[in-house]
Amino acid sequence: MTPDETIEQLAAWFEDRFAQLRSLADTLTSILNLDADGMLVLSSTARREMKSAASDFLQQHLVVDGCGLIFAHSSLGTKSGRLEWWVREDESRFARYSFGVVPGGDRYYNYEQHEWFIRAFEEGRSAAVGPFIDYLGVEVYIMTLTVPAVVEGQRVGAVGNDLQIDDLERALLPMLQQCETDLVVLSRHGNVLVSNTAEFLPGELVSDPRPGYRFVALPDVTDGIRVMVAG
């Protein structure tokens, strides 16, 4: 397979991931509504329906490690945050993860300062951020994808999912290995996500093309993901 054909496959794979995430966002936000003051209404019924939607998503997409809706503080009218986030325990069991969302509390998670939240909620675009060490305490690299969460025309947060880099590699490496040319998939900041050459390891920073390589950008929806191609 030629480098261009492989890059087309990579672009299609990431575009599909974001299309599936936007579909999840549509499902989760359709469950919610706003009160007369423009604040979110999050009933126990809505939370049960969100749990079902997130569980279905994890069941259908084995490459995804966790998913859910991350609420902007302003949409809740509180100083504390809220995440309806579900993680994979095994192939058929999923659990809601409880985060520290009270300022000053134990292990406070100030998620509104994270790039994946800022780009989706404040800028209203899709985001692909990572690799970085998982907040949940598991010593693994992950990548987070997010899209805006919109209810009744108002942005209320972000819908996202986490991909463990090991799982991302298992999904993409067979595709990369069909090409005899060295290919390195990079995040928008130049960190290696996956490669078909042992010369580049996940997380390694590549700011400029190495001698004998060139950069090829993937579609805009992938938030700056690009491929470094030999030759």
Side-chain angles (χ1 to χ4, degrees), residues 21 24 28 50 54 66-70 83-86 158-161:
L21 187 56
L24 174 64
L28 293 177
M50 293 176 76
C67 69
L69 201 159
I70 309 97
L83 300 90
E84 289 294 321
W85 190 263
W86 295 85
V159 171
N161 65 38

Side-chain angles (χ1 to χ4, degrees), residues 12-96:
W13 191 89
F14 278 106
E15 286 184 301
D16 182 63
R17 289 259 45 88
F18 276 107
Q20 296 295 337
L21 187 56
R22 288 192 296 271
S23 178
L24 174 64
D26 289 343
T27 300
L28 293 177
T29 54
S30 70
I31 295 167
L32 303 171
N33 53 69
L34 306 177
D35 65 17
D37 297 318
M39 296 292 105
L40 276 171
V41 178
L42 189 58
S43 66
S44 57
T45 299
R47 292 183 60 199
R48 285 195 298 270
E49 291 179 4
M50 293 176 76
K51 171 187 176 180
S52 177
S55 297
D56 287 346
F57 189 83
L58 291 172
Q59 183 74 54
Q60 294 165 16
H61 303 285
L62 296 181
V63 73
V64 176
D65 194 53
C67 69
L69 201 159
I70 309 97
F71 297 91
H73 296 191
S74 58
S75 70
L76 301 168
T78 66
K79 293 182 178 180
S80 298
R82 187 178 189 93
L83 300 90
E84 289 294 321
W85 190 263
W86 295 85
V87 296
R88 183 184 305 280
E89 293 190 323
D90 57 35
E91 290 187 0
S92 60
R93 293 189 306 155
F94 316 105
R96 182 177 183 273

Side-chain angles (χ1 to χ4, degrees), residues 132-151:
F132 56 90
I133 294 294
D134 189 2
Y135 169 85
L136 302 184
V138 181
E139 294 300 314
V140 295
Y141 274 119
I142 66 167
M143 182 178 196
T144 296
L145 308 182
T146 53
V147 296
V150 180
V151 175

Side-chain angles (χ1 to χ4, degrees), residues 100-190:
V101 294
V102 179
D106 185 41
R107 297 187 71 217
Y108 174 53
Y109 185 30
N110 189 11
Y111 57 78
E112 289 196 324
Q113 302 302 310
H114 284 258
E115 182 182 10
W116 51 259
F117 186 84
I118 292 170
R119 292 179 72 75
F121 173 64
E122 295 185 10
E123 300 177 14
R125 57 167 299 147
S126 57
V129 179
F132 56 90
I133 294 294
D134 189 2
Y135 169 85
L136 302 184
V138 181
E139 294 300 314
V140 295
Y141 274 119
I142 66 167
M143 182 178 196
T144 296
L145 308 182
T146 53
V147 296
V150 180
V151 175
E152 297 176 17
Q154 176 178 311
R155 269 187 238 148
V156 297
V159 171
N161 65 38
D162 286 341
L163 311 174
Q164 289 194 19
I165 295 301
D166 284 350
D167 292 332
L168 185 69
E169 187 175 72
R170 278 191 285 271
L172 297 183
L173 196 54
M175 192 185 307
L176 295 174
Q177 288 175 332
Q178 294 181 50
C179 182
E180 295 183 359
T181 302
D182 288 351
L183 299 172
V184 185
V185 184
L186 304 169
S187 71
R188 68 187 299 267
H189 294 300

